[in-house]
Amino acid sequence: MSPLAFVFLTCFPSPSSSSSSSRSLLFAHSSNATRKAPVHHQLSLDFYSKTCPQLDQLVSSVTSRRFQQIPVSAPATIRLFFHDCFVEGCDASVLIAPSSGGKVVVERDVGDNKNLAPEGFETIDMAKALVESKCPGVVSCADILAVAARDFVHLAGGPYYPVMKGRKDSKVSLAFKVRPNLPRANSTTDELLRLFASKGLGREDLVALSGAHTIGYAHCDQFVSRLYDFKGTKQPDPFMDPRLLKALKMYCPPFGGNTDVVAPFDVQTPFSFDHMYYGNLEAKMGLLSTDQALFLDPRTRPLVQELGRDKAKFFQAFSMGMEKMGSIRVKKGNKGEIRKDCSRHLS
């Protein structure tokens, strides 16, 4: 089956309202990055060696089942990890549910996070419940999310990398922290580089971690401007393959389209965690403007080409990027807590 034929088959209304939101990009819309310097803490591979030595196996039993039964749980959980780490660090603050009274506006109340897939939250809740039954009050939700994201990367065909542990869960979740800390779907490479730098991540990390778009889907509203009014020109993006443009226009009208319609980030191997994402960028078949910009910018193009040629190099770079991202602003000691319910603070 040709890549373009696949686009026609996979640009479809989401099968259910519960899973539609999982077809969106790893990062949602936002404003410019903050300049606050990142804080890194020392984590360790054997943090739970005495208190919960079976942690990885417990989480794996849940992620394996979820991947088999609900495959969209993979990109949903990976995206959830990104959204958690980029907003005030990897501290499970994104998991806190809105309060019934609405007195405190949490991260999940913000539009950028409201379309985070329920499958991701459900997976973490299931894994946490199992871990609590075996190791009560020991393992943080933040660590469980980090392990689950790694599991799904591997289950989808990507690398299996060691996950450092020792995070605590944040005692707060604040909505106003979200928008300044997440890229937009049409962010420029300059904006992306500045944002990643504010997290202690470099150009190589930006290109490697963007490769997570090798799986998953995006809603039409994330790229529709490229189809009809690129940068206010009233014309399509000239850096999109004409055949891909034609295919996407069939499912994404300029106005009034079905909000559940989605398209795969990777039109060639949308269900496999591989390096085809980078080849798509070289062929002008990147779905988001943000993705395609990585090939157009001379600072990032050589990295795109290198990772597109060598899957092993991509896997290594992605693993290193995930480890670095996973240590951003980690909460330790009395600055954090160990939640029993990932969606609620202890007090």
Side-chain angles (χ1 to χ4, degrees), residues 124-161:
I124 301 308
D125 285 342
M126 294 171 64
K128 176 62 172 176
L130 179 59
V131 171
E132 281 293 308
S133 71
K134 305 295 183 180
C135 314
V138 171
V139 183
S140 68
C141 298
D143 279 342
I144 290 174
L145 177 54
V147 172
R150 183 276 312 280
D151 286 355
F152 279 124
V153 167
H154 185 61
L155 288 165
Y160 185 91
Y161 52 89

Side-chain angles (χ1 to χ4, degrees), residues 14 22 52 58 65 90 94 104 110-111 143 151 216 264 270 295 312 324:
S14 300
S22 59
C52 193
L58 292 171
R65 184 173 70 254
C90 307
V94 72
V104 178
V110 181
D143 279 342
D151 286 355
F295 180 72
K324 289 173 67 175

Side-chain angles (χ1 to χ4, degrees), residues 97-106 109 344:
S99 60
S100 56
K103 294 181 179 180
V104 178
V105 185
V106 298
D109 284 318
R344 289 175 174 78

Side-chain angles (χ1 to χ4, degrees), residues 190-251:
D190 275 334
E191 290 169 337
L192 292 175
L193 288 170
R194 284 197 297 269
L195 176 59
F196 272 62
S198 75
K199 310 300 178 185
L201 301 173
R203 180 177 53 183
E204 295 81 3
D205 302 310
L206 165 61
V207 176
L209 292 173
S210 294
H213 280 179
T214 186
I215 59 173
Y217 296 79
H219 290 275
C220 287
D221 64 353
Q222 305 293 344
F223 56 84
V224 69
S225 63
R226 295 189 70 200
L227 310 183
Y228 302 98
D229 187 22
F230 181 63
K231 294 184 177 179
T233 62
K234 306 298 182 183
Q235 298 293 323
D237 185 345
F239 297 105
M240 178 178 284
D241 181 278
R243 298 165 300 165
L244 178 61
L245 175 65
K246 181 179 179 180
L248 293 174
K249 278 187 171 182
M250 291 183 64
Y251 294 92

Side-chain angles (χ1 to χ4, degrees), residues 150-193:
R150 183 276 312 280
D151 286 355
F152 279 124
V153 167
H154 185 61
L155 288 165
Y160 185 91
Y161 52 89
V163 174
M164 308 289 276
K165 307 173 185 73
R167 305 165 186 83
K168 279 197 171 182
D169 302 323
S170 175
K171 295 181 178 180
V172 296
S173 179
L174 302 172
F176 74 89
K177 298 285 189 178
V178 175
R179 292 183 184 274
N181 287 290
L182 294 178
R184 300 184 303 272
N186 61 349
S187 291
T188 66
T189 303
D190 275 334
E191 290 169 337
L192 292 175
L193 288 170

Side-chain angles (χ1 to χ4, degrees), residues 64-136:
S64 297
R65 184 173 70 254
R66 292 284 286 179
F67 186 74
Q68 184 176 31
Q69 297 174 349
I70 311 176
V72 77
S73 299
T77 305
I78 296 169
R79 183 191 180 201
L80 192 59
F81 184 53
F82 275 68
H83 275 238
D84 183 41
C85 290
F86 262 66
V87 180
E88 292 300 293
C90 307
D91 57 9
S93 55
V94 72
L95 302 179
I96 294 296
S99 60
S100 56
K103 294 181 179 180
V104 178
V105 185
V106 298
E107 291 178 26
R108 284 170 67 174
D109 284 318
V110 181
D112 299 343
N113 284 332
K114 282 187 175 180
N115 70 345
L116 286 169
E119 289 84 355
F121 294 100
E122 292 163 2
T123 298
I124 301 308
D125 285 342
M126 294 171 64
K128 176 62 172 176
L130 179 59
V131 171
E132 281 293 308
S133 71
K134 305 295 183 180
C135 314

